[in-house]
PDB file of all heavy atoms in Angstrom:
ATOM      1  N   LYS A 202     -32.797  38.978  34.318  1.00 55.00           N
ATOM      2  CA  LYS A 202     -32.598  39.525  35.630  1.00 55.00           C
ATOM      3  C   LYS A 202     -33.891  39.967  36.323  1.00 55.00           C
ATOM      4  O   LYS A 202     -34.139  39.662  37.452  1.00 55.00           O
ATOM      5  CB  LYS A 202     -31.615  40.689  35.532  1.00 55.00           C
ATOM      6  CG  LYS A 202     -31.293  41.340  36.862  1.00 55.00           C
ATOM      7  CD  LYS A 202     -30.270  42.502  36.647  1.00 55.00           C
ATOM      8  CE  LYS A 202     -29.928  43.131  38.000  1.00 55.00           C
ATOM      9  NZ  LYS A 202     -28.880  44.218  37.813  1.00 55.00           N
ATOM     10  N   SER A 203     -34.746  40.555  35.528  1.00 60.00           N
ATOM     11  CA  SER A 203     -36.084  41.007  36.081  1.00 60.00           C
ATOM     12  C   SER A 203     -36.956  39.814  36.556  1.00 60.00           C
ATOM     13  O   SER A 203     -37.568  39.853  37.554  1.00 60.00           O
ATOM     14  CB  SER A 203     -36.838  41.797  35.019  1.00 60.00           C
ATOM     15  OG  SER A 203     -36.117  42.972  34.694  1.00 60.00           O
ATOM     16  N   ARG A 204     -36.874  38.722  35.736  1.00 58.00           N
ATOM     17  CA  ARG A 204     -37.679  37.568  36.073  1.00 58.00           C
ATOM     18  C   ARG A 204     -37.152  36.924  37.389  1.00 58.00           C
ATOM     19  O   ARG A 204     -37.933  36.509  38.225  1.00 58.00           O
ATOM     20  CB  ARG A 204     -37.647  36.504  34.979  1.00 58.00           C
ATOM     21  CG  ARG A 204     -38.399  36.966  33.715  1.00 58.00           C
ATOM     22  CD  ARG A 204     -38.594  35.708  32.733  1.00 58.00           C
ATOM     23  NE  ARG A 204     -39.140  36.129  31.495  1.00 58.00           N
ATOM     24  CZ  ARG A 204     -38.439  36.302  30.406  1.00 58.00           C
ATOM     25  NH1 ARG A 204     -37.139  36.131  30.427  1.00 58.00           N
ATOM     26  NH2 ARG A 204     -39.029  36.642  29.266  1.00 58.00           N
ATOM     27  N   ILE A 205     -35.831  36.852  37.513  1.00 48.00           N
ATOM     28  CA  ILE A 205     -35.262  36.276  38.730  1.00 48.00           C
ATOM     29  C   ILE A 205     -35.653  37.099  39.950  1.00 48.00           C
ATOM     30  O   ILE A 205     -36.001  36.565  41.011  1.00 48.00           O
ATOM     31  CB  ILE A 205     -33.717  36.191  38.572  1.00 48.00           C
ATOM     32  CG1 ILE A 205     -33.397  35.120  37.525  1.00 48.00           C
ATOM     33  CG2 ILE A 205     -33.084  35.803  39.896  1.00 48.00           C
ATOM     34  CD1 ILE A 205     -31.900  35.092  37.172  1.00 48.00           C
ATOM     35  N   GLN A 206     -35.541  38.440  39.850  1.00 59.00           N
ATOM     36  CA  GLN A 206     -35.847  39.251  40.956  1.00 59.00           C
ATOM     37  C   GLN A 206     -37.319  39.191  41.331  1.00 59.00           C
ATOM     38  O   GLN A 206     -37.754  39.200  42.530  1.00 59.00           O
ATOM     39  CB  GLN A 206     -35.421  40.715  40.657  1.00 59.00           C
ATOM     40  CG  GLN A 206     -33.873  40.905  40.585  1.00 59.00           C
ATOM     41  CD  GLN A 206     -33.544  42.255  40.076  1.00 59.00           C
ATOM     42  OE1 GLN A 206     -34.288  42.947  39.344  1.00 59.00           O
ATOM     43  NE2 GLN A 206     -32.278  42.729  40.460  1.00 59.00           N
ATOM     44  N   ALA A 207     -38.206  39.162  40.283  1.00 57.00           N
ATOM     45  CA  ALA A 207     -39.643  39.018  40.536  1.00 57.00           C
ATOM     46  C   ALA A 207     -39.948  37.739  41.254  1.00 57.00           C
ATOM     47  O   ALA A 207     -40.774  37.711  42.158  1.00 57.00           O
ATOM     48  CB  ALA A 207     -40.383  39.148  39.157  1.00 57.00           C
ATOM     49  N   THR A 208     -39.315  36.631  40.821  1.00 46.00           N
ATOM     50  CA  THR A 208     -39.521  35.399  41.390  1.00 46.00           C
ATOM     51  C   THR A 208     -39.094  35.348  42.876  1.00 46.00           C
ATOM     52  O   THR A 208     -39.745  34.818  43.779  1.00 46.00           O
ATOM     53  CB  THR A 208     -38.836  34.245  40.656  1.00 46.00           C
ATOM     54  OG1 THR A 208     -39.273  34.260  39.333  1.00 46.00           O
ATOM     55  CG2 THR A 208     -39.033  32.885  41.220  1.00 46.00           C
ATOM     56  N   ALA A 209     -37.968  36.004  43.130  1.00 47.00           N
ATOM     57  CA  ALA A 209     -37.403  36.051  44.435  1.00 47.00           C
ATOM     58  C   ALA A 209     -38.344  36.826  45.361  1.00 47.00           C
ATOM     59  O   ALA A 209     -38.532  36.495  46.547  1.00 47.00           O
ATOM     60  CB  ALA A 209     -36.036  36.712  44.411  1.00 47.00           C
ATOM     61  N   THR A 210     -39.014  37.872  44.855  1.00 57.00           N
ATOM     62  CA  THR A 210     -39.969  38.660  45.643  1.00 57.00           C
ATOM     63  C   THR A 210     -41.163  37.833  46.011  1.00 57.00           C
ATOM     64  O   THR A 210     -41.621  37.892  47.162  1.00 57.00           O
ATOM     65  CB  THR A 210     -40.364  39.958  44.813  1.00 57.00           C
ATOM     66  OG1 THR A 210     -39.264  40.710  44.496  1.00 57.00           O
ATOM     67  CG2 THR A 210     -41.311  40.738  45.620  1.00 57.00           C
ATOM     68  N   VAL A 211     -41.715  37.113  45.038  1.00 49.00           N
ATOM     69  CA  VAL A 211     -42.880  36.279  45.302  1.00 49.00           C
ATOM     70  C   VAL A 211     -42.536  35.221  46.368  1.00 49.00           C
ATOM     71  O   VAL A 211     -43.329  34.863  47.301  1.00 49.00           O
ATOM     72  CB  VAL A 211     -43.355  35.567  44.012  1.00 49.00           C
ATOM     73  CG1 VAL A 211     -44.423  34.483  44.306  1.00 49.00           C
ATOM     74  CG2 VAL A 211     -43.891  36.602  43.028  1.00 49.00           C
ATOM     75  N   LEU A 212     -41.336  34.651  46.301  1.00 45.00           N
ATOM     76  CA  LEU A 212     -40.997  33.600  47.250  1.00 45.00           C
ATOM     77  C   LEU A 212     -40.440  34.151  48.542  1.00 45.00           C
ATOM     78  O   LEU A 212     -40.140  33.391  49.463  1.00 45.00           O
ATOM     79  CB  LEU A 212     -39.862  32.678  46.607  1.00 45.00           C
ATOM     80  CG  LEU A 212     -40.308  31.899  45.364  1.00 45.00           C
ATOM     81  CD1 LEU A 212     -39.151  31.128  44.737  1.00 45.00           C
ATOM     82  CD2 LEU A 212     -41.497  30.941  45.698  1.00 45.00           C
ATOM     83  N   SER A 213     -40.342  35.512  48.633  1.00 54.00           N
ATOM     84  CA  SER A 213     -39.819  36.210  49.833  1.00 54.00           C
ATOM     85  C   SER A 213     -38.386  35.696  50.222  1.00 54.00           C
ATOM     86  O   SER A 213     -38.128  35.378  51.381  1.00 54.00           O
ATOM     87  CB  SER A 213     -40.788  35.950  51.007  1.00 54.00           C
ATOM     88  OG  SER A 213     -42.092  36.480  50.748  1.00 54.00           O
ATOM     89  N   VAL A 214     -37.601  35.592  49.196  1.00 47.00           N
ATOM     90  CA  VAL A 214     -36.220  35.194  49.425  1.00 47.00           C
ATOM     91  C   VAL A 214     -35.319  36.355  48.898  1.00 47.00           C
ATOM     92  O   VAL A 214     -35.717  37.005  47.889  1.00 47.00           O
ATOM     93  CB  VAL A 214     -35.805  33.840  48.846  1.00 47.00           C
ATOM     94  CG1 VAL A 214     -36.617  32.710  49.486  1.00 47.00           C
ATOM     95  CG2 VAL A 214     -35.959  33.875  47.339  1.00 47.00           C
TER      96      VAL A 214
END
Side-chain angles (χ1 to χ4, degrees):
K202 180 177 180 180
S203 297
R204 291 194 188 101
I205 292 172
Q206 290 174 335
T208 302
T210 300
V211 171
L212 296 176
S213 299
V214 297

